[in-house]
Amino acid sequence: MPSHRRGYFIAFEGGEGAGKSTQEALLTQALLDAGHPVVRTREPGGTPAAEQIRHIVLSPEFEGLDPRAEALLFAAARGEHVARVVRPAIERGYVVICDRYLDSSVAYQGYGRDLGPEHVRDLSLWATHDLVPDLTIVLDISPQVGLSRLSTPDRLEAEPIEYHETVRAAFLTIAAQDPGRYLVLDAGQEVDALAAAILRRVLVDLAAA
Ligand code: TYD
């Protein structure tokens, strides 16, 4: 049952194969068990229109998609998702757990495609009326390890290892710029230890919110 107060917005970020989905599922269950109302969602996607954009940006069929078009599509999906799902849930008092958000665009498009992190960030801020997460959890993993955990790669996953190295470094740079709003964790550690570290921080933040 949602509370009367504003909710809390948590984004999970990180490279491919970092185990975000597993950790999101564990955090969702732990928060529900503790009595917090939770909405779990993902980007790109989360609404019918945004899921169609997801198909375009991830499909290997569109190999060579123009980088600016790619950045605009991710931002468009995000605008739709925030307007219809994320912001309404926060306003109704839910804890929103989102698989990837704005920093994925800054890392994959801004740094990875060399479009400029500021431009890409501004684009997403415009698309979302400036909605930023209360907390972003970065699961850090070496691309060699992360990519080896995947089966069939999508269009982004199929990029060369150097691209994924750039993305990894980008997430660490972004987190270092605003340490109070980020929790960076080694995604190579045991699943349960990682889940415990995440829950500890989230419960502290929720108690203070
Ligand atoms: P997905 O299958 O959800 O990957 P993961 O399980 O790693 O989250 O695919 C999302 C892909 O899209 C992933 O390769 C990262 C990429 N992406 C961007 O390039 N920019 C963005 O803004 C977002 C949200 C994702």
Side-chain angles (χ1 to χ4, degrees):
M1 180 58 80
S3 66
H4 59 280
R5 61 173 200 195
R6 183 187 177 278
Y8 202 74
F9 182 20
I10 302 170
F12 275 79
E13 299 281 10
E16 315 296 339
K20 287 187 283 87
S21 308
T22 303
Q23 292 302 328
E24 288 155 11
L26 290 170
L27 178 62
T28 299
Q29 194 54 55
L31 290 179
L32 289 172
D33 290 347
H36 294 280
V38 179
V39 168
R40 185 179 163 202
T41 185
R42 70 165 181 187
E43 292 207 347
T47 77
E51 290 290 335
Q52 293 211 14
I53 297 175
R54 177 183 178 91
H55 171 71
I56 297 174
V57 286
L58 296 190
S59 172
E61 183 188 345
F62 301 116
E63 195 202 331
L65 184 68
D66 174 69
R68 290 183 185 223
E70 178 182 293
L72 288 163
L73 285 166
F74 277 114
R78 180 161 302 125
E80 161 78 359
H81 181 224
V82 165
R84 294 191 187 277
V85 177
V86 179
R87 195 183 295 279
I90 295 169
E91 284 173 357
R92 290 171 60 204
Y94 285 85
V95 177
V96 176
I97 297 178
C98 190
D99 185 321
R100 298 195 180 280
Y101 189 63
L102 179 154
D103 290 334
S104 276
S105 284
V106 177
Y108 283 81
Q109 281 70 54
Y111 286 92
R113 303 291 191 213
D114 218 3
L115 294 176
E118 299 83 12
H119 287 315
V120 172
R121 183 176 161 82
D122 286 350
L123 186 62
S124 270
L125 288 175
W126 181 78
T128 63
H129 295 268
D130 296 321
L131 183 72
V132 293
D134 296 293
L135 175 66
T136 298
I137 297 164
V138 176
L139 299 187
D140 181 52
I141 189 107
S142 95
Q144 283 86 352
V145 175
L147 291 169
S148 73
R149 291 177 177 172
L150 305 176
S151 44
T152 319
D154 62 35
R155 196 176 58 83
L156 277 299
E157 288 160 359
E159 289 290 332
I161 193 94
E162 297 75 33
Y163 177 81
H164 294 285
E165 296 284 7
T166 302
V167 167
R168 179 190 195 186
F171 280 126
L172 298 179
T173 301
I174 295 165
Q177 285 163 354
D178 192 2
R181 282 176 179 264
Y182 287 80
L183 176 65
V184 180
L185 294 168
D186 174 5
Q189 61 185 299
E190 285 293 316
V191 168
D192 289 351
L194 197 52
I198 292 170
L199 182 61
R200 221 169 17 245
R201 169 64 185 263
V202 169
L203 290 178
V204 168
D205 281 19
L206 287 176

